[in-house]
Amino acid sequence: EDQVTQSPEALRLQEGESSSLNCSYTVSGLRGLFWYRQDPGKGPEFLFTLYSAGEEKEKERLKATLTKKESFLHITAPKPEDSATYLCAVLPGGSQGNLIFGKGTKLSVKP
Amino acid sequence: DVKVTQSSRYLVKRTGEKVFLECVQDMDHENMFWYRQDPGLGLRLIYFSYDVKMKEKGDIPEGYSVSREKKERFSLILESASTNQTSMYLCALLPYLYRPSTDTQYFGPGTRLTVL
């Protein structure tokens, strides 16, 4: 069964304290892995697409990496405005576009 | 800027009512999706559409139907609302995901539906 697991469920950091969020997946033939940011009461905001192991993408303080079993979202020197829930999703092989989402990691960055 | 709008941010309905949720895009985008998001369950796909008058079932289509008469508009219909359909409903524009794409994905702001 295709599955996506995100860890930790919640993460509290001090401003400037770098860390990583994990997204591990079990899918048949990964076509793509996607990261999103979601603020309370709003729709997800698309961040990155990763297609193959070894690929990396960066945006400001965020860097996403991909291996054959998992993806990491590294947050370097986070600021309070980085506080949000970060979602990961995968597109399995054979899918017509049905993304499988993880349950998310809620990140809180304290000043 | 691409805009994905949803007809209501908050909606309260009674059990048994027929409910219409509408999603409108301002781009000429073929692929539109309806998800629901619940605490502890994440996002789950209800229906999607690749073109006008086309629709495909997602993981949880029971109790829902959809309509896409125009390219820019994708409606989700709750035929007879029930309390277990209380949820956050999200519309999304996703590029052709079966091939590598640099296209951005867009989600609407969401409709928080409460069924009493």
Side-chain angles (χ1 to χ4, degrees):
Chain A
E1 182 187 350
D2 297 327
Q3 205 166 6
V4 176
T5 303
Q6 290 189 247
S7 61
E9 288 186 16
L11 182 63
R12 296 169 69 107
L13 300 173
Q14 287 297 125
E15 184 171 2
E17 181 187 1
S18 301
S19 188
S20 295
L21 312 183
N22 178 264
C23 172
S24 63
Y25 60 89
T26 306
V27 293
S28 49
L30 179 73
R31 281 193 185 154
L33 184 141
F34 312 92
W35 282 99
Y36 311 83
R37 170 197 170 120
Q38 186 174 26
D39 293 304
K42 296 187 176 181
E45 175 191 346
F46 173 75
L47 294 173
F48 301 112
T49 302
L50 299 165
Y51 285 108
S52 55
E55 192 174 356
E56 297 181 352
K57 294 275 179 72
E58 282 190 73
K59 180 180 181 179
E60 296 179 358
R61 294 177 292 282
L62 301 176
K63 179 180 177 181
T65 61
L66 180 65
T67 72
K68 288 186 178 179
K69 295 289 185 185
E70 59 194 346
S71 176
F72 292 95
L73 185 65
H74 307 278
I75 303 176
T76 302
K79 298 181 178 181
E81 53 262 42
D82 294 321
S83 297
T85 296
Y86 290 85
L87 301 172
C88 166
V90 299
L91 181 68
S95 168
Q96 289 184 282
N98 189 0
L99 297 173
I100 298 174
F101 282 84
K103 293 181 172 56
T105 293
K106 185 175 183 179
L107 173 67
S108 300
V109 182
K110 301 300 180 186
Chain B
D1 257 6
V2 171
K3 281 201 172 42
V4 183
T5 57
Q6 295 185 225
S7 47
S8 305
R9 291 301 308 274
Y10 301 94
L11 208 53
V12 180
K13 294 293 181 181
R14 298 241 174 240
T15 301
E17 280 192 75
K18 191 167 186 175
V19 182
F20 294 85
L21 303 181
E22 198 165 67
C23 176
V24 180
Q25 56 152 324
D26 68 353
M27 279 192 77
D28 194 29
H29 209 296
E30 288 89 359
N31 309 330
M32 300 183 76
F33 293 69
W34 274 108
Y35 288 90
R36 65 179 281 179
Q37 185 175 28
D38 301 287
L41 295 176
L43 276 85
R44 293 177 292 165
L45 181 63
I46 307 171
Y47 267 98
F48 59 105
S49 169
Y50 283 132
D51 207 342
V52 175
K53 302 218 184 274
M54 289 182 65
K55 61 184 179 184
E56 298 284 345
K57 292 180 181 179
D59 293 325
I60 51 164
E62 297 76 20
Y64 303 94
S65 63
V66 290
S67 172
R68 192 157 180 209
E69 296 296 318
K70 293 186 178 181
K71 196 170 190 177
E72 68 269 20
R73 199 175 297 263
F74 191 34
S75 300
L76 180 69
I77 303 155
L78 285 66
E79 298 292 343
S80 177
S82 63
T83 55
N84 62 14
Q85 292 179 309
T86 291
S87 186
M88 169 73 110
Y89 289 87
L90 292 161
C91 175
L93 306 185
L94 308 180
Y96 285 108
L97 298 174
Y98 53 78
R99 60 170 185 256
S101 169
T102 56
D103 291 343
T104 298
Q105 302 176 19
Y106 299 95
F107 282 80
T111 295
R112 185 162 295 283
L113 172 67
T114 301
V115 182
L116 302 175

